[in-house]
Amino acid sequence: MTTWAADELGAANLGDRRLTRRLISLAERFAASPTASIPGACADGAEVQGAYRFFEQAHDERRVSTTTEI
């Protein structure tokens, strides 16, 4: 059985399946605690670090982006 996040975000093409899995995991965490900060929503320090690394991808050459270039 898949989760709502996997159904909604599983087809995201971020260039690496690990990034898609991280996106799904973060969406589930943040949905469970919508008013929490990133450290408050994440289970432990490793997950917090992973979340910040995910969001920093926009500054990386791999570029996770929410826009589509035409």
Side-chain angles (χ1 to χ4, degrees):
M1 176 156 64
T2 62
T3 66
W4 69 267
D7 288 340
E8 293 294 325
L9 304 169
N13 182 7
L14 302 179
D16 188 327
R17 280 186 250 178
R18 293 172 295 179
L19 291 174
T20 303
R21 285 195 304 263
R22 173 80 63 195
L23 173 65
I24 293 167
S25 173
L26 290 173
E28 291 170 348
R29 284 284 184 195
F30 297 150
S33 301
T35 61
S37 63
I38 291 174
C42 294
D44 56 28
E47 195 170 67
V48 170
Q49 186 175 16
Y52 283 119
R53 283 184 180 164
F54 177 84
F55 292 121
E56 288 173 358
Q57 293 296 316
H59 302 289
D60 191 352
E61 65 275 0
R62 290 186 292 182
R63 305 235 5 135
V64 170
S65 177
T66 58
T67 62
T68 303
E69 294 182 27
I70 299 174

